[in-house]
């Protein structure tokens, strides 16, 4: 209780905010993170609405249809970002490409976070031989030749399985090692607290202790890692597609569109073919990284005041 010196009235104590409420308030005050959130939201909405917007943007809504009569057209009133070497509207492909690039990034991130969290939490909680075995397997995954494996799998499974889902699976299953190490270190520190020891002493199963008590207390770290991984995996998809080992060429993605920059005449004389996807990748990655930094700062226990 506090007393107002002027009126003598007694003020009720201010309600203390939870750590999550404090983190939310601090994140909302981060202007750069909020601008980035707004930009990423617009990119996602435009990508999701591609089937609705495409027919109104271009007279060629089919992203795979070749139109020889409209090849290499510079930006004009009919094609706002021009057409590519196959006569396909660049803006239409940019919108559809966003759907694929964001899908690959989000799906692979979900796989990475799930596998990394399970492996890291189990290794950290049980320790001993279980920890040693899982961490050696994690070291193997971290040292695995990622690019070679993607190329080999794409070659073997080409025409048998949808190449997009092969790419998502390979990226996800070869990228969880870092998350597993981070979660393990957090769990190792957290499991020594009294509330964890109390839960174990009253007979809670290991699964219940991990899910109900440990994971909620490392959730902030997982959220930050997921945000930063999202950006990294979009870059991975773009890089692999640029090299020709990612998303199938007939499927538009930002990486596939950027592959046109391989040709000197396009790079120098037709920037409308590769500059839009390059800018889309750059601005999207920057916005995700700014959001991740904002979350990292907001969820930092030392800053929750």
């Amino acid at each position: 209780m506090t007393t107002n010196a002027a009126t003598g009235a007694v003020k009720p104590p201010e309600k203390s905010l939870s750590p999550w409420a404090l983190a939310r308030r601090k994140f909302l005050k981060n202007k750069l993170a909020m601008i980035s959130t707004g930009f990423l939201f617009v990119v996602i909405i435009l990508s999701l609405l591609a089937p609705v917007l495409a027919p109104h943007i271009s007279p060629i809504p089919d992203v795979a249809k070749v139109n020889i009569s409209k090849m290499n057209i510079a930006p004009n009133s009919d094609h706002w970002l021009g057409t590519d070497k196959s006569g396909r509207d660049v803006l239409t492909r940019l919108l559809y490409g966003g759907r694929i690039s964001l899908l690959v990034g989000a799906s692979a991130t979900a796989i990475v976070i799930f596998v990394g969290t399970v492996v890291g939490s189990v290794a950290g909680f049980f320790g001993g031989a279980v920890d040693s075995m899982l961490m050696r397997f994690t070291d193997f995954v971290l040292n695995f030749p990622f690019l070679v494996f993607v190329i080999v799998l794409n070659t073997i499974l080409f025409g048998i399985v949808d190449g997009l889902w092969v790419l998502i699976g390979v990226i996800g299953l070869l990228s969880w090692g870092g998350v597993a190490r981070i979660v393990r270190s957090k769990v190792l520190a957290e499991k020594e607290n009294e509330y964890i020891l109390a839960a174990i002493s009253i007979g809670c199963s290991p699964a219940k202790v991990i899910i109900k008590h440990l994971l909620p207390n490392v959730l902030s770290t997982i959220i930050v890692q997921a945000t930063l991984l999202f950006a990294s995996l979009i870059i991975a998809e773009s890089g692999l597609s640029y090299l020709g080992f990612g998303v199938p060429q007939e499927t538009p993605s930002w990486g596939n569109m950027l592959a046109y920059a391989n040709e000197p005449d396009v790079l120098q004389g037709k920037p409308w073919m590769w500059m839009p996807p390059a800018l889309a990748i750059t601005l999207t990655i920057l916005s995700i990284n700014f959001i991740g930094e904002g979350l990292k700062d907001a969820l930092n226990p030392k800053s929750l005041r």
Side-chain angles (χ1 to χ4, degrees):
M1 293 287 192
T2 59
T3 303
N4 190 309
T7 63
V10 177
K11 295 180 180 179
E14 291 185 6
K15 185 179 179 180
S16 60
L17 296 175
S18 68
W20 287 104
L22 288 170
R24 183 174 64 251
R25 185 171 67 178
K26 185 165 186 180
F27 181 78
L28 292 174
K29 289 181 179 179
N30 189 324
K31 293 182 180 179
L32 189 56
M34 291 307 299
I35 292 171
S36 298
T37 302
F39 174 80
L40 183 61
F41 180 75
V42 170
V43 170
I44 292 172
I45 293 299
L46 289 176
S47 298
L48 291 176
L49 293 178
V52 177
L53 297 174
H56 301 283
I57 290 173
S58 165
I60 315 176
D62 190 341
V63 292
K65 185 178 179 180
V66 175
N67 191 331
I68 299 176
S69 64
K70 292 183 177 290
M71 293 169 55
N72 303 323
I73 296 176
N76 57 37
S77 58
D78 288 332
H79 304 282
W80 298 349
L81 294 180
T83 63
D84 62 16
K85 297 185 300 179
S86 300
R88 299 170 297 193
D89 184 73
V90 172
L91 181 54
T92 299
R93 288 177 63 80
L94 187 70
L95 294 176
Y96 276 94
R99 290 162 62 94
I100 299 300
S101 294
L102 294 173
L103 172 65
V104 172
S107 301
T109 298
I111 295 172
V112 169
I113 293 299
F114 176 76
V115 177
T117 300
V118 170
V119 173
S121 57
V122 170
F125 180 78
F126 288 102
V130 173
D131 181 26
S132 179
M133 180 183 67
L134 289 176
M135 285 303 100
R136 298 297 74 76
F137 181 62
T138 302
D139 291 338
F140 170 76
V141 171
L142 287 171
N143 291 315
F144 205 85
F146 174 76
L147 182 59
V148 173
F149 194 60
V150 172
I151 295 171
V152 170
L153 265 186
N154 272 356
T155 303
I156 294 174
L157 299 176
F158 182 78
I160 302 175
V161 182
D162 187 341
L164 177 62
W165 294 105
V166 170
L167 180 65
I168 290 172
V170 171
I171 292 176
L173 294 176
L174 292 180
S175 305
W176 55 265
V179 174
R181 283 185 172 278
I182 292 171
V183 172
R184 170 184 175 270
S185 66
K186 293 291 182 181
V187 169
L188 283 173
E190 199 70 30
K191 76 173 185 177
E192 301 301 327
N193 290 331
E194 292 181 358
Y195 71 95
I196 298 296
L197 299 176
I200 296 173
S201 68
I202 63 174
C204 288
S205 65
K208 187 174 182 180
V209 174
I210 292 172
I211 295 171
K212 289 192 65 177
H213 301 289
L214 281 173
L215 289 184
N217 288 284
V218 299
L219 185 59
S220 59
T221 300
I222 294 173
I223 290 173
V224 173
Q225 288 302 309
T227 307
L228 299 176
L229 268 169
F230 185 30
S232 300
L233 296 181
I234 289 176
I235 294 175
E237 178 277 320
S238 300
L240 288 168
S241 297
Y242 175 80
L243 295 172
F245 300 112
V247 176
Q249 289 296 320
E250 65 273 10
T251 304
S253 77
W254 289 341
N256 278 343
M257 294 178 69
L258 197 59
Y260 281 122
N262 267 332
E263 302 178 14
D265 65 314
V266 173
L267 186 62
Q268 297 174 9
K270 302 180 181 69
W272 65 85
M273 292 187 191
W274 60 268
M275 194 170 287
L279 287 174
I281 293 170
T282 302
L283 294 176
T284 301
I285 297 308
L286 283 175
S287 67
I288 295 172
N289 280 326
F290 287 140
I291 293 169
E293 289 300 321
L295 288 172
K296 184 178 180 181
D297 184 46
L299 294 171
N300 184 354
K302 294 180 180 178
S303 67
L304 294 179
R305 296 189 179 93

